[in-house]
Amino acid sequence: DTAVSQTPKYLVTQMGNDKSIKCEQNLGHDTMYWYKQDSKKFLKIMFSYNNKELIINETVPNRFSPKSPDKAHLNLHINSLELGDSAVYFCASSQDRGRVGEQYFGPGTRLTVT
Amino acid sequence: DQQVKQNSPSLSVQEGRISILNCDYTNSMFDYFLWYKKYPAEGPTFLISISSIKDKNEDGRFTVFLNKSAKHLSLHIVPSQPGDSAVYFCAASRYTGANSKLTFGKGITLSVRP
């Protein structure tokens, strides 16, 4: 059983389009995250949610909007896609909020904007 | 502003030898450090962690050393195996706090030659 799953694995789209990436975890964790790994290979946190509550919102353009329908799901919607949005996006989850510990990552979604 | 630095992009070692992966940090508020391993087309997986109250933590073939005065940590893998070939990310955080988050380095690619 996959602990943290993401769909789709690959996403190729044109500038200006709107797209979504879905994430689900079956670990019973309370906290979920979205990370972006850009061309320089840094993994940078974008958002974190705890029990559907937004906890961390880094300086991400408001074209990016996370949505958490329940604590097992955290989806990422991106409006008006730009070339610079091309990256690998990772979803992750962890048990504890307020105590950073081991995080479990999904396999990533490679987004290519043309 | 890179708060976690992995200055060597790659390392190649012979199977059976020791692999030493280094990581430096600049933020003196960091008190919890983790190493993640990542295979191609997969998400990072947690490897080992260390709290700032310790200077060493061991788990099987993996040992992490922390030198707080130098703001430096290292991951030792002994003996190295071909299956250890992967990208290794160092991460750091303040362990507690409502907005605790992981700050990652850009990773080191380890190649273990048979």
Side-chain angles (χ1 to χ4, degrees):
Chain A
D1 280 346
T2 304
V4 182
S5 60
Q6 296 179 228
T7 53
K9 192 165 178 64
Y10 299 97
L11 184 54
V12 180
T13 187
Q14 291 185 328
M15 285 174 56
N17 285 348
D18 304 335
K19 291 293 178 184
S20 295
I21 306 172
K22 295 185 177 181
C23 177
E24 176 181 3
Q25 54 97 2
N26 62 8
L27 299 166
H29 289 167
D30 291 331
T31 306
M32 296 185 71
Y33 311 81
W34 277 109
Y35 286 86
K36 178 181 180 180
Q37 185 181 31
D38 59 22
S39 58
K40 294 182 179 179
K41 305 300 183 187
F42 283 102
L43 265 168
K44 294 183 179 177
I45 190 166
M46 301 172 69
F47 304 101
S48 77
Y49 268 75
N50 179 269
N51 276 322
K52 303 195 299 177
E53 177 189 355
L54 180 65
I55 302 300
I56 293 175
N57 184 348
E58 291 293 286
T59 51
V60 177
N62 56 16
R63 298 182 295 103
F64 290 78
S65 55
K67 287 185 170 53
S68 182
D70 55 62
K71 75 173 193 176
H73 295 85
L74 180 62
N75 303 324
L76 184 65
H77 301 273
I78 315 171
N79 296 324
S80 302
L81 278 154
E82 300 177 355
L83 292 176
D85 298 332
S86 295
V88 182
Y89 293 85
F90 290 97
C91 177
S93 72
S94 68
Q95 181 58 52
D96 298 314
R97 168 203 172 180
R99 295 197 314 152
V100 173
E102 179 182 345
Q103 294 183 10
Y104 292 78
F105 283 79
T109 296
R110 181 173 292 277
L111 171 65
T112 302
V113 182
T114 61
Chain B
D1 177 28
Q2 295 178 41
Q3 298 187 66
V4 177
K5 301 178 184 181
Q6 296 178 262
N7 292 323
S8 301
S10 63
L11 175 68
S12 180
V13 299
Q14 192 75 35
E15 180 179 5
R17 298 289 187 97
I18 185 171
S19 295
I20 300 177
L21 290 75
N22 294 308
C23 177
D24 297 293
Y25 62 96
T26 58
N27 189 337
S28 58
M29 299 300 289
F30 288 148
D31 56 9
Y32 191 61
F33 306 88
L34 307 90
W35 284 93
Y36 281 80
K37 179 168 78 172
K38 184 183 179 303
Y39 292 119
E42 295 183 10
T45 56
F46 171 76
L47 197 55
I48 193 169
S49 63
I50 187 167
S51 163
S52 60
I53 63 173
K54 294 185 175 182
D55 54 18
K56 176 182 173 181
N57 189 27
E58 201 169 348
D59 183 1
R61 297 185 296 114
F62 302 91
T63 302
V64 56
F65 294 92
L66 175 62
N67 182 335
K68 283 188 296 181
S69 61
K71 295 191 181 69
H72 175 84
L73 63 155
S74 60
L75 175 67
H76 292 211
I77 307 173
V78 182
S80 301
Q81 299 173 353
D84 296 329
S85 297
V87 178
Y88 289 79
F89 290 96
C90 172
S93 77
R94 293 184 62 184
Y95 189 52
T96 59
N99 294 329
S100 295
K101 62 183 181 182
L102 293 179
T103 300
F104 284 85
K106 63 191 302 185
I108 300 171
T109 300
L110 173 65
S111 299
V112 180
R113 307 185 303 274

